[in-house]
Amino acid sequence: MEETQPVPRVGVVLFVLKGKSVLLGRRRASIGESTFALPGGHLEFGESFEECGARELMEETGLEMGKADFLTVTNKVFLDKSKHCHYVIVFLRAVLADPNQVPQNPEPDKCDGWDWYDWDNLPQPLFSTLDEMVRSGFNPFPAT
Ligand SMILES: Nc1ncnc2c1ncn2[C@H]1C[C@H](O)[C@@H](COP(=O)(O)OP(=O)(O)OP(=O)(O)O)O1
Ligand SMILES: [Mg+2]
């Protein structure tokens, strides 16, 4: 019988910025359980990064994405207790279409809820990839 080899997948993740804050939610999922993470998910066949980001943001938070820019990309192998997987993760910076929108939690099985957190006072523990970026001095805000 032919065995399916695991392959790398593409994730698109958003730094949604509002003033000096970023949108984070506490994950309820196999990878990064209980950590604070950015909204995002798997790139689907035929999607642009922006389309994927806007779709995942709507599915996970009910928020409508406004302008988005490419920030960076990482190549990450997760050796989680429950699951081993490999992602190329594309990070975008985005703002909301309407800054007064309030995040909802349409997928309570995947997230405890979304809120805005001051970049200078982020909650702990952060999702591993985000934690590594913050520790390395990464800053998602546009240069002023
Ligand atoms: N905040 C994050 N920082 C870095 N990588 C992330 C982040 N969020 C997700 N990823 C990476 C690792 C995840 O396993 C992968 C897919 O995202 P995840 O949120 O687990 O999928 P999903 O359930 O939202 O996607 P789908 O709905 O498409 O199945 O992307
Ligand atoms: Mg997700």
Side-chain angles (χ1 to χ4, degrees), residues 27 38-42 56 60 107 110 114:
R27 280 172 77 86
L38 304 161
H42 299 101
E56 286 288 346
E60 296 186 351
E107 298 181 329
K110 287 192 180 178
W114 298 95

Side-chain angles (χ1 to χ4, degrees), residues 13 27 31 37-38 40-42 56 60 78 87 89 110 127 129:
V13 170
R27 280 172 77 86
I31 303 174
L38 304 161
H42 299 101
E56 286 288 346
E60 296 186 351
F78 292 92
Y87 281 98
I89 308 169
K110 287 192 180 178
F127 188 71
T129 322

Side-chain angles (χ1 to χ4, degrees), residues 73-122:
V73 63
T74 62
N75 182 37
K76 178 92 175 134
V77 178
F78 292 92
L79 299 174
D80 220 71
K81 293 187 284 297
S82 51
K83 205 156 96 180
H84 290 189
C85 47
H86 181 175
Y87 281 98
V88 172
I89 308 169
V90 176
F91 292 85
L92 304 181
R93 164 174 62 215
V95 291
L96 295 182
D98 167 5
N100 296 318
Q101 293 174 88
V102 176
Q104 310 297 315
N105 191 22
E107 298 181 329
D109 54 322
K110 287 192 180 178
C111 179
D112 282 342
W114 298 95
D115 211 342
W116 300 100
Y117 294 90
D118 194 325
W119 183 253
D120 295 324
N121 190 19
L122 291 172

Side-chain angles (χ1 to χ4, degrees), residues 2-144:
E2 199 179 310
E3 283 203 23
T4 322
Q5 285 292 113
V7 292
R9 298 188 72 187
V10 180
V12 176
V13 170
L14 296 176
F15 284 91
V16 185
L17 305 179
K18 187 160 91 164
K20 293 206 68 190
S21 302
V22 61
L23 186 70
L24 298 174
R26 200 185 258 251
R27 280 172 77 86
R28 295 173 63 106
S30 54
I31 303 174
E33 168 77 40
S34 302
T35 61
F36 287 90
L38 304 161
H42 299 101
L43 185 71
E44 291 184 357
F45 189 86
E47 271 184 332
S48 69
F49 298 146
E50 289 76 10
E51 285 166 350
C52 177
R55 176 182 54 73
E56 286 288 346
L57 186 68
M58 180 56 72
E59 285 174 8
E60 296 186 351
T61 71
L63 296 169
E64 190 184 339
M65 192 181 88
K67 185 176 164 0
D69 304 300
F70 173 80
L71 278 179
T72 189
V73 63
T74 62
N75 182 37
K76 178 92 175 134
V77 178
F78 292 92
L79 299 174
D80 220 71
K81 293 187 284 297
S82 51
K83 205 156 96 180
H84 290 189
C85 47
H86 181 175
Y87 281 98
V88 172
I89 308 169
V90 176
F91 292 85
L92 304 181
R93 164 174 62 215
V95 291
L96 295 182
D98 167 5
N100 296 318
Q101 293 174 88
V102 176
Q104 310 297 315
N105 191 22
E107 298 181 329
D109 54 322
K110 287 192 180 178
C111 179
D112 282 342
W114 298 95
D115 211 342
W116 300 100
Y117 294 90
D118 194 325
W119 183 253
D120 295 324
N121 190 19
L122 291 172
Q124 293 293 332
L126 292 174
F127 188 71
S128 58
T129 322
L130 179 59
D131 193 54
E132 285 160 21
M133 290 169 96
V134 171
R135 285 172 195 272
S136 75
F138 181 82
N139 184 329
F141 291 85
T144 47

